[in-house]
Amino acid sequence: MMTMEFEEMKKIWDEQNNQPLYAINEEVLYNRVLAKKKQAGHTLNFSEWLTILVNVVSGCFVFGINLFRQNDYVFLYVLAAWMLIVAAYIIVSRIRRIRGENTFDRSLYGDLNHAVAMAAYQVRFSQLMRWNILPIVLFVLFGVWESGKPVWLMVGVLVFFILTHYAARWEHSIYKTRKRELETLQKKLQQE
């Protein structure tokens, strides 16, 4: 049985692969960055479109029901207007974000910077939508109170929004973790 020294084995290994033993495979790294960028873009697009759709449909529904039943519940009209304004704001923000995507070059660093920018935008967007729960719950509670509904309905609505807040907080923490992962990768590449 023949024994080889470590250096001889390493030399053979290097010659076979035509690359150093501990080299970073840039192609694999770039594919990982592209996958993270694609995931961030998909999540962001889905979040934006879902939030736009929910706000437009809910705002129109509340406005239509209030108008059709000929109710004069001011807080429900304000709620409908608020939801439509939020949808319009998200549409404008989305257009600005998409226009800004052309500033990133198509390289490993450019795509990584683009992924980090999308993750940062997702975190800000998520935080904004978490804060958006507050005016919505206030308008809904005042609307329920204004319409003379029973107190247990107000308590039920409040419990629902508290659970919604906790779910939104959990979702927000996922986005923050993804952003940190991308920033860590970005720092490592800058140091290399």
Side-chain angles (χ1 to χ4, degrees):
M1 183 172 208
M2 208 158 68
T3 60
M4 288 190 209
E5 296 293 322
F6 176 73
E7 291 301 319
E8 291 176 42
M9 288 174 50
K10 184 178 181 296
K11 184 178 177 185
I12 292 170
W13 178 268
D14 288 346
E15 288 173 0
Q16 284 178 344
N17 291 331
N18 210 7
Q19 56 181 287
L21 184 61
Y22 297 108
I24 294 174
N25 189 334
E26 287 188 30
E27 185 178 341
V28 171
L29 179 61
Y30 188 58
N31 287 338
R32 182 173 178 218
V33 166
L34 287 177
K36 293 253 183 211
K37 178 183 154 191
K38 184 178 177 182
Q39 178 189 28
H42 177 73
T43 302
L44 187 53
N45 283 325
F46 181 77
S47 297
E48 286 173 329
W49 281 115
L50 182 65
T51 306
I52 290 167
L53 181 68
V54 165
N55 276 284
V56 167
V57 169
S58 299
C60 289
F61 179 77
V62 169
F63 183 77
I65 290 294
N66 211 25
L67 190 65
F68 184 70
R69 291 187 177 174
Q70 297 177 344
N71 295 331
D72 292 327
Y73 302 135
V74 175
F75 287 108
L76 293 181
Y77 282 116
V78 173
L79 172 65
W82 177 261
M83 292 176 129
L84 295 173
I85 290 168
V86 167
Y89 175 79
I90 295 168
I91 291 169
V92 169
S93 295
R94 176 178 167 73
I95 292 168
R96 284 184 187 158
R97 177 186 64 82
I98 291 171
R99 284 186 183 159
E101 287 181 352
N102 295 331
T103 61
F104 298 98
D105 61 346
R106 297 299 171 229
S107 66
L108 174 65
Y109 294 110
D111 284 331
L112 182 57
N113 290 337
H114 188 196
V116 169
M118 282 193 295
Y121 181 89
Q122 179 69 52
V123 168
R124 285 190 309 273
F125 179 74
S126 173
Q127 184 66 35
L128 184 63
M129 290 305 102
R130 283 181 62 209
W131 280 106
N132 187 46
I133 293 171
L134 183 61
I136 289 176
V137 71
L138 289 175
F139 294 142
V140 168
L141 287 175
F142 286 136
V144 170
W145 172 74
E146 184 181 38
S147 66
K149 301 293 182 193
V151 175
W152 64 266
L153 184 60
M154 289 180 69
V155 171
V157 167
L158 191 58
V159 167
F160 171 76
F161 279 110
I162 288 171
L163 293 174
T164 302
H165 171 74
Y166 281 111
R169 192 168 88 180
W170 170 76
E171 179 187 26
H172 182 71
S173 69
I174 291 171
Y175 298 141
K176 285 172 62 176
T177 301
R178 288 181 185 170
K179 179 183 170 231
R180 271 194 305 270
E181 288 173 358
L182 287 168
E183 288 172 337
T184 301
L185 180 60
Q186 187 180 42
K187 286 177 187 173
K188 284 181 182 178
L189 284 177
Q190 288 171 349
Q191 290 172 352
E192 299 263 331

